[in-house]
C-alpha cells in the first residue's frame, strides 16, 4: 500500500513541476511572442519579462523583435537608357505584426524567399524607370527610397497586384533598402578602362602641347626684347658718334678759320710723319728739288 | 523496521543513519549532508531511489522524522542557496558597462566596479565595452598575407567603385566606431547583429558618396578627400541611427583612392606629362632670364663705347685745334719762314730712318734705271715687288713735293 502511495506521490510531484514550469516563461528584450493554444492564436505578447500562461495546453511561439537583415543576390538589370548595371542590395526589416507573420510565412527561410522575389521585381522595375546617370548621382538616394516604398507597399499588403503578396501583407515593415554595389558588367569594365586610358592620353598630350606653346612664347618674347634693346642702343650710339663727329668738325673749322692753306701744309706734314715710317717705305729722291733743293749745287743763290 | 528495497539492516535510522551502507555508498556517493541539496530541482544524476527513499522516510515512516536528517537537509539546502545567491556577483571593467535584464526584460545599466545582480534565471548581465574604438576595414585588409583567390576576388569587387562620370576607382577606407555610451542597450536589443551591419552600410555609403563625384575630384585633392570622409561618416551614422543600432561612428578614413591598377600607368603618364610641361616652360624661362639681361648689358656697352668715341673725337679735335691755333699765330708772324721751317723739320724726321736712294733723273736720260726694291712688309708693296710694272705710290710722293 505504501508503494502505491509512493508512486502517486512521485507522480504528483512530477506533475507539480510540469505545471510550475509550464505556466511561467520569460520573454527576452529582443523577442516578441504569440501564445498558442492547440495551434490557435490566443494572445500577442510584446513586453519583455516574466509572463504566465496555461500550462500544458498553451505554448509560446517566439519571434525576433530586432531589426533583421536580408541580402539580395546581385542581378544584372537594364536602365531606361538601355544600359546594363549589376545591382546588389540589402534590406533591413522588422516583424511588426507577429500574427500576420505567423499566418503567412511563419519562419525566416520562407520570409527570405518571398522577400527575395519581391525585392528583385521591385528593383528591376525601379531601375528600368531611370537612366544610368541617375543611379550614379545625387539621386541615388531617391532611387533607393523608391525601391523601399515599392517593397513596403507589397509586404504591408497595400499592393496586392499579381498575387505577389497576401492581402494584409506579411506583418513586416521595411525599414531600409540600400544599394550596395551598382557596377557595370565586366565587359563594360574593359570598355571603361579603354576610355579612361584614351582620356588620360589626351590629357597628357594637351599638357605637353601647352608646355611647348608657352615655352616658345617665352623664348620668342625674350629674343624680341633682345633685338629691340640692341637696335635701340645702336641707334643711340650712332647718334652720339655723329654728334661727336659734328662737334669735332666744328672745332676744326673754327680753328682753321681763315687759314686753309697753312692748315693744308701743316696737316700734310703731320700725315707724312705718321705714314712714311721706317720699314714700309723706300724713298727715291732727286737732288735739286724739294727737300734736296740745296743738294748738288754750291750754296748761295741758286 | 521495514525491509526496504535495499534489504539488510537498516535499523530505525533509515538510509542516512547508516552512513556507510546502502544508498550512501551507491550511485550518489556524496555523503550524508548532500542528499538534500536539491529540494526543488530534480537532478538527473541523483537516482530516483534517493528521492523515493526520502519520501518513504517522510511519508512512510513518520516515527523517524527526527532532527538529524532534517537538519542535514536544511544545512545542505542553506549551503546550496548561499552558493546560488553568491553567483550573482560580477565585476564591470573600467571600460565597460553592464546591461541588466530581469527575466529577459531590460531593467538598467551598471557602472564599473563590483556589482551584484539576482542570480539567474532571475537576472542576467551582459557586459559591453563602450570605451573601446573598433575598426572595420573596407577595400583592403591590413596585415593580410592572403593568397586565397576567392578572397582576392571579393576584395577586388569591394574596392572598385563607379564614379559619377562612369569611371572606375579603387577605394580603401576604414571606419572607426564605438558603442553609444549613452544607450548601450540599443546595441544589444535593437538590431540583430548590429556590429555586422556596419560593413554593408559603410560600403553602400561610400559607393553613394563616390557616385556623386567625377573621377577628378575623387583622385586629386586633399580637401576633396576630407569632404568624402565627412560625407561618408555622416551617411553611415544617419543610416545606423535610423536602425537604432546604438553605434557611434567616430571617423572614416579614406586611405586609398587610386585609379584601378589596369589603367594606373595611363594616369602616371599624365602626371609625367604635367611635369614635362613645367620643365619645358622652366627651360624657356631660364633662357629668357639669360638673354634679356645680356642684351641690356650689351646695349649699355654699345652706348658707353659711343660716348667714349664722342668724347675722344671731341677731345682730339680740341687738342689738335689748340695746337694748330698756337702754330697759326706763329705763322702769321712770319709765314714764309715758318712754313719752310716746318717742312724741313718734318722731312728731317721722316727721312732719317728710312732707306733712301738718291737718283739724278736728269743725268741718266737715255738709260732706264733698274734696281730691285727691298721686299716690304705691307701687302700692297708685296704686290708691287712681284709685278715690276706697278709703280709704288710712295715714289710719286717723293718726287712730287715741291
Amino acid at each position: 500500500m505504501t508503494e502505491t502511495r509512493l508512486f502517486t506521490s512521485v507522480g504528483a510531484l512530477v506533475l507539480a513541476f510540469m505545471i510550475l514550469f509550464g505556466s511561467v516563461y520569460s520573454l527576452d528584450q529582443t523577442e516578441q511572442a504569440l501564445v498558442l493554444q492547440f495551434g490557435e492564436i490566443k494572445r500577442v505578447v510584446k513586453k519583455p519579462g516574466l509572463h504566465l500562461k496555461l500550462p500544458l495546453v498553451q505554448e509560446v511561439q517566439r519571434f525576433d523583435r530586432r531589426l533583421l537583415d536580408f541580402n539580395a543576390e546581385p542581378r544584372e538589370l537594364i536602365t531606361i537608357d538601355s544600359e546594363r548595371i549589376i545591382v546588389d542590395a540589402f534590406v533591413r526589416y522588422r516583424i511588426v505584426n507577429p500574427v500576420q507573420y505567423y499566418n503567412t510565412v511563419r519562419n525566416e527561410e520562407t520570409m527570405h524567399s518571398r522577400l527575395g522575389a519581391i525585392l528583385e521585381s521591385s528593383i528591376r522595375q525601379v531601375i528600368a524607370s531611370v537612366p544610368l546617370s541617375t543611379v550614379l548621382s545625387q539621386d541615388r538616394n531617391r532611387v533607393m527610397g523608391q525601391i523601399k516604398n515599392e517593397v513596403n507597399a507589397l509586404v504591408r499588403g497595400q499592393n496586392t497586384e499579381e498575387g505577389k503578396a497576401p492581402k494584409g501583407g506579411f506583418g513586416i515593415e521595411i525599414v531600409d533598402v540600400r544599394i550596395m554595389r551598382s557596377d557595370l558588367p565586366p565587359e563594360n569594365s574593359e570598355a571603361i578602362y579603354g576610355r579612361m586610358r584614351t582620356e588620360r592620353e589626351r590629357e597628357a598630350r594637351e599638357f605637353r602641347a601647352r608646355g611647348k606653346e608657352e615655352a616658345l612664347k617665352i623664348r620668342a618674347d625674350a629674343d624680341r626684347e633682345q633685338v629691340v634693346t640692341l637696335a635701340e642702343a645702336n641707334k643711340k650710339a650712332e647718334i652720339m658718334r655723329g654728334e661727336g663727329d659734328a662737334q669735332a668738325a666744328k672745332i676744326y673749322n673754327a680753328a682753321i678759320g681763315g687759314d686753309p692753306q697753312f692748315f693744308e701744309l701743316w696737316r700734310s706734314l703731320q700725315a707724312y710723319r705718321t705714314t712714311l715710317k721706317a720699314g714700309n717705305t723706300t724713298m727715291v729722291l732727286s737732288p735739286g728739288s724739294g727737300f734736296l733743293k740745296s743738294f748738288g749745287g754750291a750754296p748761295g743763290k741758286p | 523496521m521495514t525491509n526496504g528495497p535495499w534489504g539488510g539492516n537498516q535499523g530505525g535510522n533509515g538510509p542516512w543513519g547508516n552512513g556507510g551502507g546502502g544508498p550512501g555508498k551507491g550511485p550518489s556517493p556524496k555523503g550524508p549532508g548532500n542528499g538534500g541539496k536539491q529540494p526543488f530541482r530534480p537532478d538527473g544524476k541523483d537516482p530516483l531511489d534517493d528521492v523515493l527513499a526520502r519520501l518513504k522516510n517522510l511519508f512512510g515512516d513518520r516515527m523517524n522524522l527526527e532532527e538529524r536528517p532534517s537538519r542535514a537537509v536544511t544545512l545542505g539546502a542553506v549551503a546550496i542557496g548561499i552558493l546560488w545567491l553568491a553567483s550573482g556577483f560580477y565585476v564591470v571593467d573600467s571600460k565597460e558597462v553592464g546591461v541588466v535584464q530581469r527575466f529577459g526584460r531590460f531593467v538598467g545599466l551598471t557602472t564599473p566596479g563590483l556589482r551584484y545582480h539576482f542570480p539567474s534565471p532571475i537576472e542576467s548581465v551582459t557586459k559591453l565595452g563602450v570605451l573601446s574604438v573598433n575598426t572595420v576595414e573596407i577595400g583592403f585588409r591590413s596585415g593580410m598575407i592572403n593568397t586565397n583567390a576567392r578572397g582576392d576576388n571579393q576584395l577586388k569587387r569591394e574596392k572598385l567603385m563607379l564614379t559619377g562620370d562612369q569611371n572606375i576607382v579603387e577605394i580603401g577606407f576604414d571606419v572607426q566606431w564605438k558603442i553609444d555610451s549613452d544607450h548601450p542597450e540599443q546595441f544589444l536589443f535593437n538590431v540583430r547583429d548590429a556590429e555586422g551591419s556596419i560593413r554593408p552600410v559603410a560600403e553602400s555609403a561610400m559607393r553613394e558618396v563616390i557616385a556623386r563625384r567625377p573621377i577628378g575630384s575623387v583622385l586629386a585633392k586633399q580637401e576633396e578627400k576630407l569632404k568624402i570622409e565627412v560625407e561618408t561618416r555622416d551617411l553611415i551614422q544617419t543610416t545606423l541611427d535610423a536602425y537604432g543600432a546604438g553605434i557611434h561612428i567616430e571617423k572614416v578614413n579614406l586611405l586609398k583612392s587610386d585609379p584601378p591598377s589596369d589603367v594606373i600607368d595611363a594616369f602616371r603618364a599624365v602626371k609625367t606629362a604635367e611635369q614635362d610641361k613645367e620643365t619645358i616652360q622652366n627651360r624657356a624661362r631660364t633662357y629668357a632670364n639669360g638673354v634679356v639681361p645680356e642684351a641690356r648689358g650689351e646695349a649699355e656697352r654699345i652706348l658707353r663705347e659711343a660716348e667714349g668715341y664722342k668724347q675722344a673725337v671731341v677731345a682730339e679735335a680740341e687738342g689738335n685745334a689748340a695746337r694748330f691755333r698756337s702754330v697759326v699765330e706763329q705763322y702769321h708772324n712770319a709765314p714764309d719762314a715758318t712754313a719752310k721751317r716746318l717742312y724741313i723739320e718734318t722731312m728731317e724726321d721722316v727721312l732719317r730712318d728710312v732707306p733712301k736712294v738718291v737718283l739724278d733723273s736728269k743725268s741718266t736720260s737715255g738709260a732706264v734705271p733698274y734696281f730691285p726694291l727691298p721686299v716690304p712688309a705691307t701687302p700692297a708693296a708685296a704686290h708691287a715687288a712681284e709685278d715690276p710694272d706697278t709703280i709704288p705710290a710712295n715714289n710719286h710722293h717723293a718726287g712730287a713735293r715741291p
Side-chain angles (χ1 to χ4, degrees), chain B residues 163-165 209-215 217-218 224 227-228 231:
Chain B
T163 62
D165 53 358
V209 168
I210 297 287
R212 289 184 201 151
R213 295 174 152 70
I215 190 171
S217 57
V218 172
E224 269 304 310
K227 276 197 218 156
I228 290 174
E231 273 179 48

Side-chain angles (χ1 to χ4, degrees), chain A residues 126-153:
Chain A
V126 171
I127 296 288
S129 70
V130 293
L132 178 63
S133 50
T134 309
V135 181
L136 298 174
S137 73
Q138 313 274 13
D139 291 330
R140 191 183 169 94
N141 216 358
R142 185 170 58 82
V143 170
M144 293 194 272
Q146 256 183 288
I147 299 173
K148 171 177 150 188
N149 291 338
E150 290 262 340
V151 178
N152 246 341

Side-chain angles (χ1 to χ4, degrees), chain A residues 20-259:
Chain A
L20 183 69
F21 284 106
S23 57
V24 286
Y25 66 96
S26 67
L27 197 64
D28 193 83
Q29 189 78 25
T30 62
E31 292 173 323
Q32 54 189 336
L34 292 177
V35 175
L36 302 170
Q37 184 171 305
F38 301 120
E40 184 195 339
I41 298 175
K42 278 290 180 182
R43 187 160 74 247
V44 178
V45 189
K46 291 214 176 181
K47 271 193 64 176
L50 199 61
H51 296 276
L52 296 170
K53 67 173 176 69
L54 287 178
L56 298 173
V57 296
Q58 286 184 339
E59 60 159 349
V60 178
Q61 182 78 251
R62 294 170 199 263
F63 300 97
D64 213 318
R65 207 157 165 258
R66 296 176 292 184
L67 196 67
L68 305 172
D69 52 284
F70 172 66
N71 296 326
E73 284 294 310
R75 293 254 183 271
E76 190 173 303
L77 304 163
I78 304 200
T79 61
I80 200 173
D81 50 353
S82 307
E83 293 283 349
R84 293 185 306 152
I85 183 174
I86 297 181
V87 172
D88 162 356
F90 66 81
V91 172
R92 292 284 182 264
Y93 69 96
R94 250 196 197 100
I95 301 173
V96 289
N97 185 344
V99 174
Q100 194 66 20
Y101 188 78
Y102 181 75
N103 286 333
T104 52
V105 285
R106 195 158 302 188
N107 63 35
E108 193 165 359
E109 262 176 56
T110 320
M111 183 72 255
H112 280 189
S113 94
R114 298 298 298 267
L115 249 188
I118 291 175
L119 190 61
E120 176 173 345
S121 88
S122 299
I123 295 180
R124 196 177 288 276
Q125 246 185 329
V126 171
I127 296 288
S129 70
V130 293
L132 178 63
S133 50
T134 309
V135 181
L136 298 174
S137 73
Q138 313 274 13
D139 291 330
R140 191 183 169 94
N141 216 358
R142 185 170 58 82
V143 170
M144 293 194 272
Q146 256 183 288
I147 299 173
K148 171 177 150 188
N149 291 338
E150 290 262 340
V151 178
N152 246 341
L154 284 167
V155 301
R156 282 191 196 147
Q158 291 159 354
N159 173 4
T160 49
E161 56 158 293
E162 296 168 29
K164 280 187 189 156
K167 195 154 186 221
F170 293 103
I172 65 171
E173 160 131 32
I174 306 293
V175 169
D176 195 20
V177 173
R178 296 252 140 216
I179 293 180
M180 266 263 268
R181 290 186 196 135
S182 57
D183 291 337
L184 299 178
E187 313 84 70
N188 287 43
S189 298
E190 266 318 301
I192 292 182
Y193 288 149
R195 179 168 53 78
M196 286 171 88
R197 274 188 215 107
T198 18
E199 271 181 20
R200 300 302 139 244
E201 276 163 26
R202 189 181 49 79
E203 259 185 56
R205 267 203 305 275
E206 247 183 55
F207 272 132
R208 291 213 177 83
R210 255 193 293 145
K212 278 201 202 120
E213 185 191 326
E214 274 301 309
L216 274 173
K217 198 154 101 66
I218 294 172
R219 272 180 212 263
D221 280 348
D223 286 341
R224 188 178 48 81
E225 203 174 320
Q226 178 198 46
V227 165
V228 165
T229 309
L230 288 178
E232 280 287 305
N234 277 322
K235 175 176 117 179
K236 289 206 188 101
E238 284 303 297
I239 291 174
M240 258 195 270
R241 276 182 224 262
E243 283 170 4
D245 289 340
Q247 219 174 336
K250 206 162 99 160
I251 294 171
Y252 278 126
N253 290 342
I256 294 170
D259 300 291

Side-chain angles (χ1 to χ4, degrees), chain A residues 29 108 176 195 223 273, chain B residues 106 166 192 243 287 349:
Chain A
Q29 189 78 25
E108 193 165 359
D176 195 20
R195 179 168 53 78
D223 286 341
R273 267 193 224 276
Chain B
F106 170 61
Q166 292 188 41
R192 182 174 68 181
Y243 295 177
Y287 170 81
D349 284 338

